């Protein structure tokens, strides 16, 4: 039997209330997005006056619908929402996504009353509600996207539960550029009914999801939240950005989604106990969640650094130290093995620094193999793989002198990276890439596509290793 | 009379030792880069056997050079470097950039000896040396780039002194994508002669430079460094990423550039005293330096938030709190003024949140005007300007339904942003933009091109405001 929330993420049919033939309204844009992403099931519209909305079957009220759809998208004025929910409930629809704002978050008695009425109406019919005051749900495996933004790229392995709609929608371009996809993403809004606790319960059993990311402003019930988080953490990694912890963050959160933030009982220690990995920047939430979904955790704090560049190595080392990880000096035996792979000006003690050297095979295969098979590290960061962007820059330099064709060199590098990836996957340790090139570079794209996490800076790479270490500590604790 | 180091940044002529007609060597790539960037002065090569290198006048030894060039680029094996310096010194050349590695950083007696010999030889001729073991200098206003990477984009206002060559070169694509340009950038390498102290002295008086960024692994003379930093800070903002402070960072730095890192006398308090703004991620170094070079400092800690999105506003608020800035609640008078510009579901108390609303003129002009002219804030962050990337995404959604032409809407938005920029410039307060779109978006590009700092995340925007506040505190202290 599917999970009660499954209709939100894998609906077979949908009713839309609030779309019309006027493309400038939010409801219409959301409907067009559903059509654009080729939602495969039937879509029915409810509209008082339109005969048909963009060619879809359209009805005056829920009572006239030919079937009870799995879910409904509601984008009508707040005062009409409870009545619409009532109609849908009578027709037999069991879930609804309420985009409309103007409820509890207003801070007025009328707003609170309307939200209570919404919830009570839904409960009467056994309906579950996402929202109100949200941007909706994106579920790429189901081709289901109720937001105004087109989803970019393939489905990913990260699910996001967010008390901000922006972190579900305005980021899609940013995430798409990095190749970081969602399995599911839910803008929770006021969480009048379905809240982050329900979301954790659903995602724990969701096979499309490899890791759960949360953006949290406030927690309705600290104890229930931590219990749900712990249950979910036992199934898969959970990472959170929690902004309601400071007085200032709590005040702003309250006016945003009416969240009861800053509850003193939800602090870092409790988060760790529940297996929640914490980050403090939104970029780190996406980056760490992606890493947690694609690589094994760090089983201990020891990091190996493999680099062609001393500055990033020093930055990585300093960040390792500040984040409470360790940079062990390699044993004489391992250093002797590395010595033949590193030029005389390089170093072998950890970092392994090959300096500005073009021997990509030593850099990305032989040294990686030696380090990750040594038993001396629990994870590694590789800074500086070189691919098409560097090679093209070089070609521009020598281009007016020579006819230079990068294709064979890129192909050769790709083959080396495939071997590097093979070693990393077989090694069972987390390895992350740091480089100032994004997915536009052939080598970074190759690592990324194979599931090796890639970061645009040394510090961000270490931040994700720290998340993998936090995850590893939790796994050790709950399995022993 | 020009500054003694001016020959490094504005040379009129250059000698290259170590380039040949073989394009796979580093020296040749560097020479080709100089040619590629159209260095306007004469370039002479020194080579034992080549008659001519890429058509340039080529000589067997420095003695045969037709003139004493302003500087020399040296990329020959380490053991030959002292002799080459001696020859150049005899010929009258006063500066040299030594790329070659294999000196003190090796940690061997031979490496130390060779470096001493290099320095003593230079001193005998009154020559100044940048390096050895460096990637060279980039000086876009002089079309002078001795690194292997092409410079991207127009000259900027930020000068970088870096103990890492990578942070001068491997980042050029990354910086170019963000529109963050260099006025000067020097990879200092081992700093055997010219060090960061000399660099600060030069940049303090350099009119092309609006702010100085430093990547520091170790400090040769803490007291002299802090004095130089303070002198430079009096002329313009100085920001640093210092990775030699932790034991781990210090150990790795020592093997990278032989730096004497971790000197206990150089701590955060001393940095602040000298006016050095500190950051702890390389991205923040570039971002904060760019902001410091383009906007006035924060004269106090009070931040205003103007947003169309509650989640980023809560993240900004939480980060403000964690970084020691303030989010004042706006006065009733200001809130009354804002009320008419914000929809009923929005907020006016700070953040000013217009929610998902398309009234760009209220968002970016009227509200910005009300907030920055209120006297209630010392700076502001605007999250969420919308431009071509969002509009194009929308057009894709409705595209197969309607012919939609975004050009008029983008043009209208651009005009609004021009008015927004005009207000920001006239207001005299720092205002930074946060958005998940980069320069590829028309609105972000418009703000960026007008010198309003743009950030790819809420937290990074606040980080740059904190840098502007640190700068403001220093200015208050040294002017009172």
């Amino acid at each position: 039997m599917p999970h009660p929330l499954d209709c939100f993420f894998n609906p077979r049919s949908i009713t839309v209330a609030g779309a019309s033939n006027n493309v400038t309204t939010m409801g219409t844009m959301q409907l067009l997005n559903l059509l654009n992403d080729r939602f495969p099931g039937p879509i029915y519209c409810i509209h008082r006056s339109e005969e048909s909305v963009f060619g879809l079957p359209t009805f005056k009220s829920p009572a006239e619908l030919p079937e009870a759809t799995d879910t409904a998208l509601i984008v009508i004025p707040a005062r009409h929402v409870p009545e619409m929910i009532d109609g849908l409930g009578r027709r037999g629809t069991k879930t609804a996504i309420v985009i409309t704002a103007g409820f509890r978050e207003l801070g007025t008695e009328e707003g609170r009353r309307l939200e209570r009425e919404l919830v009570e109406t839904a409960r009467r019919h056994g309906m579950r509600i996402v929202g109100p005051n949200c941007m909706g749900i994106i579920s790429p495996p189901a081709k289901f996207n109720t937001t105004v933004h087109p989803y970019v790229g393939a489905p990913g392995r990260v699910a996001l539960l967010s008390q901000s709609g922006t972190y579900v929608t305005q980021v899609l371009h940013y995430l798409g550029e990095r190749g970081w996809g969602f399995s599911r993403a839910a803008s929770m809004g006021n969480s009048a009914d379905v809240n982050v606790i329900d979301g954790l319960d659903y995602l724990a059993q969701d096979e499309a999801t490899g890791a759960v990311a949360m953006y949290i402003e406030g927690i309705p019930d600290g104890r229930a939240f931590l219990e749900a988080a712990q249950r979910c953490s036992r199934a898969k990694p959970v990472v959170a950005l929690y902004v309601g912890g400071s007085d200032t963050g709590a005040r702003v959160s309250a006016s945003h989604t009416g969240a009861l933030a800053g509850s003193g009982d939800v602090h870092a220690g409790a988060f760790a106990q529940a297996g929640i990995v914490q980050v403090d920047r939104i970029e780190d939430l996406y980056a760490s969640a992606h890493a947690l979904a694609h690589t094994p955790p760090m089983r201990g704090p020891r990091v190996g650094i493999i680099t062609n560049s001393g500055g990033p190595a020093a930055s990585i080392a300093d960040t390792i130290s500040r984040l409470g990880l360790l940079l062990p000096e390699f044993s004489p035996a391992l250093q002797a093995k590395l010595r033949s792979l590193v030029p005389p000006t390089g170093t072998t003690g950890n970092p392994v620094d090959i300096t500005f050297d073009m021997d990509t095979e030593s850099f990305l295969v032989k040294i990686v193999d030696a380090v990750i098979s040594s038993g001396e590290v629990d994870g590694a960061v590789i800074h500086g793989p070189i691919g098409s962007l560097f090679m093209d820059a070089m070609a521009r330099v020598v281009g007016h002198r020579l006819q230079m064709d990068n294709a064979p060199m890129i192909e050769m590098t790709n083959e080396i990276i495939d071997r590097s990836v093979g070693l990393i996957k077989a090694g069972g340790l987390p390895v992350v890439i740091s480089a100032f090139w994004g997915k536009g570079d052939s080598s970074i794209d190759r690592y990324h596509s194979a599931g090796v996490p890639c970061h645009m800076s040394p510090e961000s790479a270490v931040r994700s290793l720290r998340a993998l270490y936090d995850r590893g500590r939790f796994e050790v604790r709950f399995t022993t």
Side-chain angles (χ1 to χ4, degrees), chain A residues 74-117:
Chain A
I74 299 180
V75 207
I76 61 178
R79 67 185 183 283
H80 298 310
V81 170
E83 186 192 339
M84 180 62 68
I85 294 292
D86 188 50
L88 288 164
R90 287 171 192 274
R91 186 64 190 83
T93 292
K94 288 294 173 211
T95 68
I97 303 160
V98 181
I99 306 298
T100 311
F103 292 85
R104 186 184 58 188
E105 82 283 1
L106 290 183
T108 63
E109 186 43 53
E110 171 61 11
R112 281 189 291 273
R113 192 196 59 72
L114 213 51
E115 187 158 317
R116 273 198 309 275
E117 192 183 338

CSV table of all heavy atoms in Angstrom, one decimal, chain A residues 74-117:
chain,number,residue,atom,x,y,z
A,74,ILE,N,-4.4,24.4,-5.7
A,74,ILE,CA,-5.4,25.5,-5.3
A,74,ILE,C,-4.7,26.8,-5.3
A,74,ILE,O,-3.7,27.0,-4.5
A,74,ILE,CB,-6.1,25.2,-4.0
A,74,ILE,CG1,-6.8,23.8,-4.2
A,74,ILE,CG2,-7.0,26.3,-3.6
A,74,ILE,CD1,-7.6,23.4,-3.0
A,75,VAL,N,-5.1,27.7,-6.2
A,75,VAL,CA,-4.4,29.1,-6.3
A,75,VAL,C,-5.5,30.1,-6.4
A,75,VAL,O,-5.5,30.9,-7.3
A,75,VAL,CB,-3.5,29.1,-7.5
A,75,VAL,CG1,-2.4,30.1,-7.3
A,75,VAL,CG2,-2.9,27.8,-7.9
A,76,ILE,N,-6.5,30.0,-5.5
A,76,ILE,CA,-7.6,31.0,-5.5
A,76,ILE,C,-7.6,31.9,-4.3
A,76,ILE,O,-6.8,31.6,-3.4
A,76,ILE,CB,-9.0,30.2,-5.6
A,76,ILE,CG1,-9.2,29.4,-4.3
A,76,ILE,CG2,-9.1,29.4,-6.8
A,76,ILE,CD1,-10.5,28.6,-4.2
A,77,PRO,N,-8.3,33.0,-4.3
A,77,PRO,CA,-8.2,33.9,-3.1
A,77,PRO,C,-8.5,33.1,-1.8
A,77,PRO,O,-9.3,32.2,-1.7
A,77,PRO,CB,-9.3,34.9,-3.3
A,77,PRO,CG,-9.4,35.0,-4.8
A,77,PRO,CD,-9.2,33.6,-5.3
A,78,ALA,N,-7.7,33.5,-0.7
A,78,ALA,CA,-7.7,32.8,0.5
A,78,ALA,C,-9.2,32.6,1.1
A,78,ALA,O,-9.5,31.5,1.5
A,78,ALA,CB,-6.9,33.6,1.6
A,79,ARG,N,-10.0,33.6,1.0
A,79,ARG,CA,-11.3,33.4,1.6
A,79,ARG,C,-12.2,32.3,1.0
A,79,ARG,O,-13.1,31.8,1.6
A,79,ARG,CB,-12.1,34.7,1.6
A,79,ARG,CG,-12.5,35.2,0.2
A,79,ARG,CD,-13.1,36.6,0.2
A,79,ARG,NE,-13.5,37.1,-1.1
A,79,ARG,CZ,-12.7,37.5,-2.0
A,79,ARG,NH1,-11.4,37.6,-1.8
A,79,ARG,NH2,-13.2,37.9,-3.2
A,80,HIS,N,-11.8,31.9,-0.3
A,80,HIS,CA,-12.6,30.9,-1.0
A,80,HIS,C,-12.0,29.5,-0.8
A,80,HIS,O,-12.5,28.5,-1.2
A,80,HIS,CB,-12.7,31.1,-2.5
A,80,HIS,CG,-13.4,32.4,-2.8
A,80,HIS,ND1,-14.6,32.7,-2.3
A,80,HIS,CD2,-13.1,33.5,-3.6
A,80,HIS,CE1,-15.0,33.9,-2.8
A,80,HIS,NE2,-14.1,34.4,-3.5
A,81,VAL,N,-10.8,29.4,-0.1
A,81,VAL,CA,-10.1,28.1,-0.1
A,81,VAL,C,-10.8,27.1,0.7
A,81,VAL,O,-11.0,26.0,0.3
A,81,VAL,CB,-8.6,28.3,0.4
A,81,VAL,CG1,-8.0,27.0,0.7
A,81,VAL,CG2,-7.8,29.1,-0.6
A,82,PRO,N,-11.4,27.4,2.0
A,82,PRO,CA,-12.0,26.4,2.7
A,82,PRO,C,-13.2,25.7,2.0
A,82,PRO,O,-13.4,24.5,2.0
A,82,PRO,CB,-12.5,27.1,4.0
A,82,PRO,CG,-11.5,28.2,4.1
A,82,PRO,CD,-11.2,28.7,2.7
A,83,GLU,N,-14.0,26.6,1.3
A,83,GLU,CA,-15.1,26.0,0.5
A,83,GLU,C,-14.6,25.1,-0.6
A,83,GLU,O,-15.3,24.0,-0.9
A,83,GLU,CB,-15.9,27.2,-0.1
A,83,GLU,CG,-17.2,26.8,-0.8
A,83,GLU,CD,-17.8,28.0,-1.6
A,83,GLU,OE1,-17.4,29.1,-1.3
A,83,GLU,OE2,-18.6,27.7,-2.5
A,84,MET,N,-13.6,25.5,-1.3
A,84,MET,CA,-13.0,24.6,-2.3
A,84,MET,C,-12.6,23.3,-1.8
A,84,MET,O,-12.8,22.2,-2.4
A,84,MET,CB,-11.9,25.4,-3.0
A,84,MET,CG,-11.2,24.6,-4.2
A,84,MET,SD,-12.3,24.2,-5.5
A,84,MET,CE,-12.6,25.9,-6.2
A,85,ILE,N,-11.9,23.4,-0.6
A,85,ILE,CA,-11.4,22.1,0.0
A,85,ILE,C,-12.6,21.2,0.4
A,85,ILE,O,-12.6,20.0,0.2
A,85,ILE,CB,-10.6,22.4,1.3
A,85,ILE,CG1,-9.3,23.2,1.0
A,85,ILE,CG2,-10.4,21.2,2.2
A,85,ILE,CD1,-8.3,22.4,0.3
A,86,ASP,N,-13.7,21.9,0.9
A,86,ASP,CA,-14.9,21.1,1.2
A,86,ASP,C,-15.4,20.4,0.0
A,86,ASP,O,-15.8,19.2,0.0
A,86,ASP,CB,-15.9,22.1,1.8
A,86,ASP,CG,-17.1,21.3,2.4
A,86,ASP,OD1,-16.9,20.4,3.2
A,86,ASP,OD2,-18.2,21.7,2.0
A,87,GLY,N,-15.6,21.1,-1.1
A,87,GLY,CA,-16.1,20.6,-2.3
A,87,GLY,C,-15.2,19.4,-2.8
A,87,GLY,O,-15.7,18.3,-3.2
A,88,LEU,N,-13.9,19.6,-2.8
A,88,LEU,CA,-13.0,18.5,-3.3
A,88,LEU,C,-13.1,17.3,-2.3
A,88,LEU,O,-13.1,16.2,-2.8
A,88,LEU,CB,-11.5,19.0,-3.3
A,88,LEU,CG,-11.2,20.0,-4.4
A,88,LEU,CD1,-9.9,20.8,-4.1
A,88,LEU,CD2,-11.1,19.3,-5.8
A,89,GLY,N,-13.2,17.6,-1.0
A,89,GLY,CA,-13.3,16.5,-0.1
A,89,GLY,C,-14.6,15.7,-0.3
A,89,GLY,O,-14.6,14.5,-0.3
A,90,ARG,N,-15.7,16.4,-0.6
A,90,ARG,CA,-17.0,15.7,-0.9
A,90,ARG,C,-16.8,14.8,-2.1
A,90,ARG,O,-17.4,13.7,-2.2
A,90,ARG,CB,-18.1,16.7,-1.1
A,90,ARG,CG,-18.6,17.4,0.2
A,90,ARG,CD,-19.5,18.5,-0.2
A,90,ARG,NE,-19.8,19.3,1.0
A,90,ARG,CZ,-20.7,19.1,2.0
A,90,ARG,NH1,-21.5,18.0,1.8
A,90,ARG,NH2,-20.9,19.8,3.0
A,91,ARG,N,-16.1,15.3,-3.1
A,91,ARG,CA,-15.9,14.6,-4.4
A,91,ARG,C,-15.0,13.4,-4.2
A,91,ARG,O,-15.0,12.5,-5.0
A,91,ARG,CB,-15.4,15.6,-5.4
A,91,ARG,CG,-15.3,15.0,-6.8
A,91,ARG,CD,-16.7,14.7,-7.4
A,91,ARG,NE,-16.7,13.9,-8.6
A,91,ARG,CZ,-16.5,12.6,-8.7
A,91,ARG,NH1,-16.4,11.8,-7.6
A,91,ARG,NH2,-16.5,11.9,-9.9
A,92,GLY,N,-14.2,13.4,-3.1
A,92,GLY,CA,-13.4,12.2,-2.8
A,92,GLY,C,-11.9,12.4,-3.0
A,92,GLY,O,-11.1,11.5,-2.8
A,93,THR,N,-11.5,13.6,-3.3
A,93,THR,CA,-10.0,13.9,-3.5
A,93,THR,C,-9.4,13.9,-2.1
A,93,THR,O,-9.9,14.5,-1.1
A,93,THR,CB,-9.8,15.3,-4.2
A,93,THR,OG1,-10.3,15.1,-5.5
A,93,THR,CG2,-8.4,15.7,-4.2
A,94,LYS,N,-8.2,13.2,-2.0
A,94,LYS,CA,-7.7,13.0,-0.6
A,94,LYS,C,-6.5,13.9,-0.3
A,94,LYS,O,-6.0,13.9,0.8
A,94,LYS,CB,-7.2,11.5,-0.5
A,94,LYS,CG,-8.4,10.5,-0.4
A,94,LYS,CD,-9.2,10.7,0.9
A,94,LYS,CE,-10.4,9.9,0.9
A,94,LYS,NZ,-11.5,10.5,1.7
A,95,THR,N,-6.0,14.7,-1.3
A,95,THR,CA,-4.9,15.6,-1.0
A,95,THR,C,-5.1,16.9,-1.8
A,95,THR,O,-5.6,16.9,-2.9
A,95,THR,CB,-3.5,15.0,-1.4
A,95,THR,OG1,-3.4,14.9,-2.8
A,95,THR,CG2,-3.3,13.6,-0.7
A,96,ALA,N,-4.5,18.0,-1.2
A,96,ALA,CA,-4.5,19.3,-2.0
A,96,ALA,C,-3.3,20.1,-1.6
A,96,ALA,O,-2.8,20.0,-0.5
A,96,ALA,CB,-5.8,20.0,-1.6
A,97,ILE,N,-2.8,20.8,-2.6
A,97,ILE,CA,-1.6,21.7,-2.5
A,97,ILE,C,-2.2,23.1,-2.5
A,97,ILE,O,-2.7,23.5,-3.6
A,97,ILE,CB,-0.6,21.4,-3.6
A,97,ILE,CG1,-0.2,19.9,-3.6
A,97,ILE,CG2,0.6,22.3,-3.4
A,97,ILE,CD1,0.5,19.5,-4.9
A,98,VAL,N,-2.1,23.8,-1.4
A,98,VAL,CA,-2.7,25.2,-1.4
A,98,VAL,C,-1.6,26.2,-1.5
A,98,VAL,O,-0.8,26.4,-0.6
A,98,VAL,CB,-3.5,25.4,-0.1
A,98,VAL,CG1,-4.1,26.8,-0.1
A,98,VAL,CG2,-4.6,24.3,0.0
A,99,ILE,N,-1.5,26.8,-2.7
A,99,ILE,CA,-0.4,27.8,-2.9
A,99,ILE,C,-0.8,29.2,-2.3
A,99,ILE,O,0.1,29.9,-1.8
A,99,ILE,CB,-0.3,28.0,-4.5
A,99,ILE,CG1,-0.1,26.7,-5.2
A,99,ILE,CG2,0.7,29.1,-4.8
A,99,ILE,CD1,1.2,26.0,-4.9
A,100,THR,N,-2.1,29.5,-2.3
A,100,THR,CA,-2.6,30.8,-1.8
A,100,THR,C,-2.0,31.2,-0.5
A,100,THR,O,-1.9,30.4,0.5
A,100,THR,CB,-4.1,30.7,-1.6
A,100,THR,OG1,-4.7,30.1,-2.8
A,100,THR,CG2,-4.7,32.0,-1.3
A,101,ALA,N,-1.6,32.5,-0.4
A,101,ALA,CA,-1.1,33.1,0.9
A,101,ALA,C,-2.2,33.9,1.5
A,101,ALA,O,-3.3,34.0,0.9
A,101,ALA,CB,0.1,34.0,0.6
A,102,GLY,N,-2.0,34.4,2.7
A,102,GLY,CA,-3.0,35.2,3.4
A,102,GLY,C,-3.6,34.4,4.5
A,102,GLY,O,-4.8,34.6,4.8
A,103,PHE,N,-2.9,33.6,5.2
A,103,PHE,CA,-3.4,32.8,6.3
A,103,PHE,C,-2.6,33.2,7.6
A,103,PHE,O,-2.4,34.4,7.8
A,103,PHE,CB,-3.3,31.3,6.0
A,103,PHE,CG,-4.2,30.9,4.9
A,103,PHE,CD1,-3.9,31.0,3.6
A,103,PHE,CD2,-5.5,30.4,5.2
A,103,PHE,CE1,-4.7,30.6,2.6
A,103,PHE,CE2,-6.4,30.0,4.2
A,103,PHE,CZ,-6.0,30.1,2.9
A,104,ARG,N,-2.2,32.2,8.4
A,104,ARG,CA,-1.6,32.5,9.7
A,104,ARG,C,-0.4,33.5,9.6
A,104,ARG,O,-0.2,34.3,10.5
A,104,ARG,CB,-1.1,31.2,10.3
A,104,ARG,CG,-0.6,31.3,11.7
A,104,ARG,CD,-0.1,30.0,12.2
A,104,ARG,NE,1.0,29.5,11.3
A,104,ARG,CZ,1.5,28.3,11.4
A,104,ARG,NH1,1.1,27.4,12.3
A,104,ARG,NH2,2.4,27.9,10.6
A,105,GLU,N,0.3,33.4,8.4
A,105,GLU,CA,1.6,34.2,8.3
A,105,GLU,C,1.3,35.7,8.4
A,105,GLU,O,2.2,36.5,8.6
A,105,GLU,CB,2.3,33.8,7.1
A,105,GLU,CG,1.9,34.5,5.8
A,105,GLU,CD,0.6,33.9,5.2
A,105,GLU,OE1,0.1,32.9,5.8
A,105,GLU,OE2,0.2,34.3,4.1
A,106,LEU,N,0.0,36.1,8.2
A,106,LEU,CA,-0.3,37.6,8.2
A,106,LEU,C,-0.2,38.1,9.7
A,106,LEU,O,0.0,39.3,9.9
A,106,LEU,CB,-1.8,37.8,7.8
A,106,LEU,CG,-2.1,37.6,6.3
A,106,LEU,CD1,-3.6,38.0,6.1
A,106,LEU,CD2,-1.2,38.5,5.4
A,107,GLY,N,-0.3,37.2,10.6
A,107,GLY,CA,-0.2,37.6,12.0
A,107,GLY,C,-1.5,38.2,12.5
A,107,GLY,O,-1.6,38.8,13.6
A,108,THR,N,-2.6,38.1,11.8
A,108,THR,CA,-3.9,38.6,12.1
A,108,THR,C,-4.9,37.5,12.6
A,108,THR,O,-4.7,36.4,12.3
A,108,THR,CB,-4.6,39.3,11.0
A,108,THR,OG1,-4.9,38.3,10.0
A,108,THR,CG2,-3.7,40.4,10.3
A,109,GLU,N,-5.9,37.9,13.4
A,109,GLU,CA,-6.9,37.0,13.9
A,109,GLU,C,-7.6,36.3,12.7
A,109,GLU,O,-7.8,35.1,12.7
A,109,GLU,CB,-7.8,37.7,14.8
A,109,GLU,CG,-8.8,36.8,15.5
A,109,GLU,CD,-8.2,35.5,16.0
A,109,GLU,OE1,-7.2,35.5,16.8
A,109,GLU,OE2,-8.7,34.4,15.7
A,110,GLU,N,-7.9,37.1,11.7
A,110,GLU,CA,-8.6,36.6,10.5
A,110,GLU,C,-7.8,35.6,9.8
A,110,GLU,O,-8.3,34.6,9.4
A,110,GLU,CB,-9.0,37.8,9.6
A,110,GLU,CG,-9.5,37.4,8.2
A,110,GLU,CD,-10.8,36.7,8.3
A,110,GLU,OE1,-11.4,36.6,9.3
A,110,GLU,OE2,-11.2,36.1,7.2
A,111,GLY,N,-6.5,35.8,9.7
A,111,GLY,CA,-5.6,34.9,9.0
A,111,GLY,C,-5.5,33.6,9.8
A,111,GLY,O,-5.6,32.5,9.2
A,112,ARG,N,-5.4,33.7,11.1
A,112,ARG,CA,-5.4,32.4,11.9
A,112,ARG,C,-6.7,31.7,11.8
A,112,ARG,O,-6.8,30.4,11.7
A,112,ARG,CB,-5.1,32.8,13.4
A,112,ARG,CG,-3.6,33.0,13.6
A,112,ARG,CD,-3.4,33.2,15.2
A,112,ARG,NE,-3.9,34.4,15.7
A,112,ARG,CZ,-3.3,35.6,15.7
A,112,ARG,NH1,-2.1,35.7,15.2
A,112,ARG,NH2,-3.9,36.7,16.2
A,113,ARG,N,-7.9,32.4,11.8
A,113,ARG,CA,-9.2,31.8,11.7
A,113,ARG,C,-9.3,31.0,10.4
A,113,ARG,O,-9.8,29.9,10.4
A,113,ARG,CB,-10.3,32.9,11.8
A,113,ARG,CG,-11.7,32.3,12.1
A,113,ARG,CD,-12.8,33.3,11.8
A,113,ARG,NE,-12.7,33.9,10.4
A,113,ARG,CZ,-13.1,33.2,9.3
A,113,ARG,NH1,-13.5,31.9,9.4
A,113,ARG,NH2,-13.0,33.7,8.1
A,114,LEU,N,-8.9,31.7,9.3
A,114,LEU,CA,-9.1,31.1,8.0
A,114,LEU,C,-8.2,29.8,7.9
A,114,LEU,O,-8.6,28.8,7.3
A,114,LEU,CB,-8.6,32.1,7.0
A,114,LEU,CG,-9.3,32.1,5.6
A,114,LEU,CD1,-10.8,32.2,5.7
A,114,LEU,CD2,-8.8,33.3,4.8
A,115,GLU,N,-7.0,29.8,8.5
A,115,GLU,CA,-6.2,28.7,8.5
A,115,GLU,C,-6.8,27.5,9.3
A,115,GLU,O,-6.8,26.4,8.8
A,115,GLU,CB,-4.8,29.0,8.9
A,115,GLU,CG,-3.8,27.8,8.7
A,115,GLU,CD,-2.3,28.2,8.7
A,115,GLU,OE1,-2.0,29.3,8.0
A,115,GLU,OE2,-1.5,27.5,9.3
A,116,ARG,N,-7.4,27.9,10.5
A,116,ARG,CA,-8.0,26.8,11.3
A,116,ARG,C,-9.2,26.2,10.5
A,116,ARG,O,-9.4,25.0,10.4
A,116,ARG,CB,-8.6,27.4,12.6
A,116,ARG,CG,-7.6,27.4,13.7
A,116,ARG,CD,-8.3,27.6,15.1
A,116,ARG,NE,-9.2,28.7,15.1
A,116,ARG,CZ,-8.9,30.0,15.3
A,116,ARG,NH1,-7.6,30.3,15.6
A,116,ARG,NH2,-9.7,31.0,15.3
A,117,GLU,N,-9.9,27.1,9.8
A,117,GLU,CA,-11.1,26.6,9.0
A,117,GLU,C,-10.6,25.7,7.9
A,117,GLU,O,-11.2,24.6,7.6
A,117,GLU,CB,-11.9,27.8,8.5
A,117,GLU,CG,-13.2,27.4,7.9
A,117,GLU,CD,-13.9,28.6,7.3
A,117,GLU,OE1,-13.6,29.8,7.6
A,117,GLU,OE2,-14.8,28.4,6.4
